[in-house]
Amino acid sequence: MSSTSSGGGSSRTPAVELHGITKRFPGVVANHDIDITVAPGTVHAIVGENGAGKSTLMKTLYGMHRPDEGTITVKGQEVRFHSPSDAIRHGIGMVHQHFMLADNLTVLENVVLGAERRHGIGRRARAEIQKLSAQYGLGVEPDRLMEDLGVGDRQRVEILKVLYRGAETIILDEPTAVLVPQEVDELFDNLRELKREGLTVIFISHKLDEVLSVADDITVIRRGTTVATADPSTTTARELATLMVGGELPVPELRESTVTDHVVLSLDGVTVRSPEGRPLVDEVSVDIHRGEIVGIAGVEGNGQSELIEAIMGMRHLASGRIRLEGQDVTGWSTLRIREAGVGYIPEDRHRHGVLLESPLWENRILGHQTKAPSVRGPWINRVGARADSERIVAEYDVRTPNIDVIADALSGGNQQKFIIGREMSGQPRFLVAAHPTRGVDVGAQSAIWEQLREARAAGLAVLLISADLDELIGMSDTIHVILRGRLVAEADPTTVTPEQLGSAMTGAGLRAGGGSTESDSGAEGTDRADEDGGES
């Protein structure tokens, strides 16, 4: 650890300086007296636990918030941003964790949308996009339809969008959260190319090994203020974790097997089709037993979402059956499935997890309206819901002033911790866990993994879907690979590597030692991917 870092020691004018930044919201100080200096032509990582203030700080730099105190300096000039447009005019661009792209438009149309004045919408715009793509090694084709692109390509389009608008400093918020290892390597190659061209990257991530591999400088934020800077060449992930949360880096791992012969959830030939008749989930069959965690690995957009929604009663099956402990629940409503003991940690917490404008105690009731402590007879049990919300906040370390705060006031990671606490409190017999640790810090990761381990040991059956391949390997009893809506391979978590899983997810199959591969299915998925132009 050091008070100065490799890039920060440069004599050149800093690309960005934040000095004494303080931002308050009702009941909470999100940032307090933050100081960060970002050297030009570097990758500067900012790490911190959930609720540490990273997102608020970046939104302030990008003009989405105004600081209550402190100054922002860009290339030696003090600036005051009133909107993202002001930040863009000063060369600041931001790629958000949740992509802001229209699937029904082409790459060109997505890139120029809102920036038509720069190069028009035709030949000049196409030429500029092609030039930037080649200059920074992005490999983006202007006329590709967005819905035909995989996650890695979509991210490159987002980077191209900010470059097209003249960004010289790019903020990347959790850019690797949804990428497979090969795509992470490609992204880091892109970042190195951006550096070679003199651009600056501010990199927000919870994955400390990735931070150490790509960053030139690291700033650690804890409880809303800067606590240290670090040189990645002399710092370990364990030291960073200690600075962030005061503990060691957690490792996802299961202990002794708890898998029984009792099938809790059975999927038999489950097929879901699009309105046009295209199979989104294609003949999926799998049994999940009591005390078992079954992992699903796949590039996002290959049927995971539709499979989850089918299980939860949010999509109708074109064919196949779903059975819960032998009972046919095909066609049941979501409420009836929830009442039957199915817990649900959604992949999109804002869409299916929380009501952003409602207080936490009301969100405790969400999805559990017919069960204690949410009700007392025919009435909502406010006292019981509030008391249990207090318990979840304490047990899951949800950083909030009180349970009357609306969910939108919490960081994404703290929203996630509250959702997981709520779902585990419902004592489910089967749990759908979609990206349970996405966007949470290392301390929260450890707590979530321990909750899953304890629930598994107590007999809970879990379907785990995650883009974190280390998490899938460490927390699964068996892993299936999904490609184009089909289960194309099965892997043994004790022998498979993230690289092998990533290869199978893109249709290349598993190598020796990784498990069994359904070669015909994998080949068919690859052919269809080539035919359609990428993952849908």
Side-chain angles (χ1 to χ4, degrees), residues 26 32 49 60 87 334 408 417 453 484 501 515-516:
H32 174 66
E49 60 185 333
T60 299
T334 302
D408 198 28
K417 287 189 283 186
R453 281 190 289 262
R484 291 287 178 182
L501 265 188
S516 61

Side-chain angles (χ1 to χ4, degrees), residues 237-513:
R238 177 174 294 183
E239 289 171 331
L240 282 180
T242 300
L243 279 173
M244 286 169 54
V245 297
E248 293 189 358
L249 193 65
V251 176
E253 59 180 356
L254 295 179
R255 299 181 180 107
E256 67 281 353
S257 176
T258 59
V259 182
T260 70
D261 293 331
H262 182 87
V263 176
V264 177
L265 188 86
S266 179
L267 305 178
D268 182 12
V270 168
T271 299
V272 176
R273 297 186 181 276
S274 69
E276 298 76 29
R278 182 168 60 91
L280 304 174
V281 178
D282 195 359
E283 292 285 336
V284 167
S285 297
V286 65
D287 290 338
I288 305 174
H289 301 80
R290 184 177 293 165
E292 181 181 30
I293 298 178
V294 172
I296 300 288
V299 176
E300 290 207 4
N302 274 274
Q304 300 96 313
S305 300
E306 293 80 7
L307 179 62
I308 291 169
E309 291 171 2
I311 293 171
M312 295 306 302
M314 293 185 281
R315 279 185 182 265
H316 295 296
L317 271 59
S319 61
R321 314 304 296 175
I322 300 175
R323 293 180 177 84
L324 182 64
E325 293 196 293
Q327 183 175 15
D328 192 335
V329 299
T330 310
W332 280 21
S333 69
T334 302
L335 176 61
R336 192 176 176 190
I337 288 171
R338 298 282 263 156
E339 288 177 335
V342 177
Y344 180 38
I345 300 169
E347 61 179 334
D348 186 343
R349 52 181 167 259
H350 291 173
R351 185 180 175 201
H352 292 139
V354 292
L355 298 174
L356 291 173
E357 299 304 319
S358 295
L360 290 185
W361 73 266
E362 289 185 6
N363 274 287
R364 168 61 185 92
I365 296 172
L366 191 65
H368 299 266
Q369 298 94 323
T370 62
K371 292 184 176 181
S374 304
V375 295
R376 178 180 293 159
W379 310 108
I380 294 294
N381 182 8
R382 291 169 61 100
V383 173
R386 291 179 66 87
D388 205 56
S389 297
E390 297 278 11
R391 179 191 60 78
I392 291 171
V393 165
E395 286 187 12
Y396 288 81
D397 190 28
V398 180
R399 305 290 172 82
T400 177
N402 54 66
I403 60 169
D404 292 305
V405 167
I406 64 171
D408 198 28
L410 271 61
S411 70
N414 280 301
Q415 292 172 8
Q416 186 76 354
K417 287 189 283 186
F418 189 84
I419 291 168
I420 291 170
R422 177 188 67 201
E423 295 307 305
M424 299 302 284
S425 300
Q427 297 182 327
R429 46 181 169 161
F430 177 75
L431 176 69
V432 175
H435 309 283
T437 63
R438 175 180 286 176
V440 304
D441 59 58
V442 292
Q445 273 185 335
S446 180
I448 292 167
W449 291 333
E450 184 59 28
Q451 288 285 343
L452 289 175
R453 281 190 289 262
E454 290 178 357
R456 167 181 171 267
L460 181 66
V462 180
L463 178 66
L464 173 63
I465 295 175
S466 178
D468 185 336
L469 300 189
D470 288 323
E471 176 175 72
L472 271 181
I473 292 170
M475 292 298 296
S476 300
D477 293 289
T478 189
I479 299 174
H480 294 272
V481 177
I482 191 168
L483 178 67
R484 291 287 178 182
R486 302 188 69 184
L487 298 185
V488 298
E490 184 175 337
D492 180 351
T494 63
T495 58
V496 75
T497 67
E499 291 73 24
Q500 289 169 334
L501 265 188
S503 179
M505 288 160 59
T506 57
L510 288 170
R511 295 173 184 164

